[in-house]
Amino acid sequence: MTEFKPALFNEWELTKRAKEKKLQPFKLKQIFFELYKNQNTERDTLTTLSKDLRNELKEHFDLLAIEVIETIEAEDTTKFAFKTRDWHIIEAILMYHRQNEKYVKEDKPKLNRITLCISSQVGCAMNCLFCVTWKLWFKRDLTWEEIISQILYANTYIKKRFWKKEDGTNNGIRNVVFMGMWEPLLNYENIRKSLEIMLQQDRFSLWRRHITISTCWIIPWIEKLIKDKVDVKLAISLHAPNQELRNKIMPVAKAYPLEDLMETIDNYVKATDNRIFYEYIMIKDLTDKPELAHQLVKLLSKRLAHVNLIPYNENPAIELKESPKNNIQIFKKILEDWNVTVTVRDSMWREAKGACWQLGYEKVKEKF
Ligand code: SF4
């Protein structure tokens, strides 16, 4: 197997090298400051490091473990396609949330916060009926270096595009969601290591509450999260309130019965006191029927839950259709009437083909 150079932010490799070269510890701090806090991930911008040091680093380290090959910019999103060093393509999406227009007098609402949706695997093995990502087939798990590289690269892009906030600090990623090409929990050890770096004060220093792992209910790994006390937000791709419909649209459900899943989630809530986000896809004449809303109420009304209704994002490889707006409103009202908190997710990310179940869209489109 081809050996690649470690990424520059790999502190274990960097520390080893620093010992061999008798580098003073402050130089390492300087490198990490440039990458994580100053949001510089291009060699010619690392000007606080001496030329000799930069040459030395260039010889032994890659700056990042992936390379951007395409950037698609839309008004409220940017989608990046990255090439891994063994020639796979993965995608990540930046999403710009702006201030509520009601409170803003200017033409364009100001940037409020930025979320990055990252990939944790190349392709996906889950075969969900409504998704194009699995049609690229599962290739491999991403390494923690490849996961962290997506965040570092996106932060550099944000710095260049939006520069400073009014208070003089850099704009940067506030939220990270593991909702790209996945299933993240099947790549548990790399996710765990990435989370450690995301939460570290002198690295990204993200808040726990600003990191979300989205899973399609792999029960043993949710149990592992409980055991390891991994206390970040959990989103469950539920998409159906009964076993029969779940089996039909998400084959993984056959291995993990709904009843067992809910028991495991109850244990997770008991251990963390975290509210669970349930993702529910709105597909015309399939998941949007009022009787299913009532079943969802029965399943969730006594639980610490929030439901995200996600209008289906259509694509040419799959015949399913998005629910009409009226169906979505009727479904939402049923949940609200029974005090289940619910939001309808904005579909603004479709423009860059960066919405749910569209990752890999361009590659899949070529085949149809
Ligand atoms: S919806 Fe998610 S879990 Fe299902 S095939 Fe697509 S990427 Fe995989």
Side-chain angles (χ1 to χ4, degrees):
M1 202 173 139
T2 322
E3 282 281 318
F4 298 108
K5 292 179 198 172
L8 185 56
F9 55 84
N10 184 329
E11 69 176 282
W12 296 272
E13 291 298 327
L14 195 59
T15 309
K16 217 161 61 183
R17 188 90 208 146
K19 273 192 191 141
E20 280 164 25
K21 289 276 154 189
K22 299 197 174 32
L23 265 189
Q24 293 137 306
F26 86 87
K27 298 249 173 180
L28 294 194
K29 281 196 178 155
Q30 222 178 340
I31 294 169
F32 291 130
F33 181 83
E34 281 299 329
L35 296 173
Y36 288 100
K37 300 293 179 194
N38 228 1
Q39 296 171 218
N40 284 331
T41 53
E42 289 163 1
R43 289 197 192 271
D44 54 6
T45 56
L46 298 174
T47 47
T48 59
L49 311 181
S50 70
K51 201 166 169 214
D52 284 353
L53 179 56
R54 272 185 283 156
N55 287 341
E56 161 77 19
L57 295 174
K58 191 173 177 181
E59 202 181 321
H60 298 281
F61 295 90
D62 284 336
L63 261 172
L64 300 177
I66 51 176
E67 190 189 320
V68 72
I69 51 164
E70 191 181 23
T71 304
I72 304 176
E73 292 179 338
E75 188 170 339
D76 288 312
T77 52
T78 302
K79 180 162 96 168
F80 305 111
F82 295 108
K83 176 169 69 72
T84 64
R85 291 176 291 191
D86 56 349
W87 297 92
H88 293 303
I89 307 293
I90 57 163
E91 293 177 351
I93 324 292
L94 274 175
M95 299 172 268
Y96 312 121
H97 307 270
R98 300 188 187 271
Q99 277 175 352
N100 191 329
E101 288 172 58
K102 269 197 293 194
Y103 303 108
V104 183
K105 295 208 173 65
E106 302 132 54
D107 290 348
K108 187 150 185 62
K110 276 189 203 130
L111 194 59
N112 188 18
R113 64 197 149 82
I114 303 176
T115 298
L116 179 68
C117 171
I118 54 178
S119 292
S120 48
Q121 295 184 315
V122 183
C124 180
M126 294 295 148
N127 299 13
C128 298
L129 185 75
F130 45 82
C131 178
V132 292
T133 306
W134 72 267
K135 289 178 188 284
L136 299 173
W137 302 113
F138 174 72
K139 302 287 186 331
R140 67 168 173 83
D141 288 333
L142 293 184
T143 64
W144 68 270
E145 283 193 351
E146 289 164 332
I147 294 170
I148 292 298
S149 292
Q150 295 172 64
I151 312 177
L152 284 170
Y153 180 84
N155 255 343
T156 301
Y157 171 89
I158 292 169
K159 180 178 168 179
K160 281 194 203 159
R161 179 163 169 182
F162 298 104
W163 193 230
K164 304 256 180 219
K165 294 192 230 167
E166 276 167 7
D167 64 5
T169 57
N170 285 347
N171 276 297
I173 293 159
R174 195 191 80 147
N175 295 23
V176 172
V177 294
F178 284 92
M179 289 187 187
M181 293 176 174
W182 47 305
E183 161 62 56
L185 291 186
L186 291 181
N187 187 9
Y188 187 81
E189 287 311 326
N190 284 303
I191 296 293
R192 244 197 101 182
K193 198 157 177 178
S194 312
L195 287 175
E196 273 170 30
I197 296 170
M198 288 181 208
L199 295 168
Q200 240 172 291
Q201 278 300 315
D202 53 352
R203 301 295 188 262
F204 293 111
S205 62
L206 293 170
W207 287 16
R208 290 179 185 285
R209 293 287 169 271
H210 292 170
I211 302 173
T212 303
I213 294 180
S214 179
T215 172
C216 61
W217 71 7
I218 314 284
I219 292 176
W221 291 107
I222 300 176
E223 286 166 349
K224 183 98 171 95
L225 287 178
I226 301 171
K227 191 164 164 272
D228 292 347
K229 299 189 170 57
V230 178
D231 183 11
V232 293
K233 275 164 61 176
L234 194 60
I236 301 288
S237 296
L238 190 66
H239 301 320
N242 63 59
Q243 188 68 34
E244 198 189 337
L245 183 57
R246 270 195 61 96
N247 287 352
K248 190 169 165 188
I249 63 176
M250 298 183 80
V252 65
K254 290 176 193 156
Y256 302 111
L258 181 59
E259 212 176 301
D260 295 355
L261 172 77
M262 297 317 291
E263 196 185 317
T264 309
I265 291 177
D266 289 344
N267 292 338
Y268 181 85
V269 173
K270 235 182 266 165
T272 61
D273 209 21
N274 285 348
R275 185 158 64 145
I276 303 294
F277 290 78
Y278 291 89
E279 315 282 319
Y280 191 96
I281 191 168
M282 294 300 286
I283 303 173
K284 187 176 177 223
D285 300 332
L286 186 62
T287 61
D288 65 348
K289 298 172 187 162
E291 63 265 30
L292 296 175
H294 286 290
Q295 288 178 24
L296 198 55
V297 166
K298 203 165 163 212
L299 191 70
L300 299 181
S301 62
K302 294 202 173 69
R303 293 187 152 100
L304 200 53
H306 181 95
V307 176
N308 271 325
L309 296 180
I310 313 177
Y312 180 56
N313 298 302
E314 295 174 14
N315 62 70
I318 296 169
E319 283 182 354
L320 301 172
K321 294 281 167 235
E322 176 184 354
S323 286
K325 282 203 171 59
N326 193 36
N327 291 14
I328 297 176
Q329 286 313 317
I330 292 170
F331 200 99
K332 181 172 179 258
K333 172 103 180 33
I334 294 169
L335 298 186
E336 284 169 343
D337 286 349
W338 289 92
N339 297 322
V340 176
T341 62
V342 54
T343 42
V344 178
R345 187 178 291 169
D346 203 321
S347 304
M348 66 185 185
W349 307 311
R350 287 176 184 173
E351 210 184 326
K353 294 291 173 283
C356 298
W357 320 299
Q358 288 185 319
L359 292 186
Y361 174 94
E362 298 301 333
K363 279 199 108 186
V364 174
K365 195 174 67 170
E366 286 163 18
K367 298 187 193 169
F368 288 83

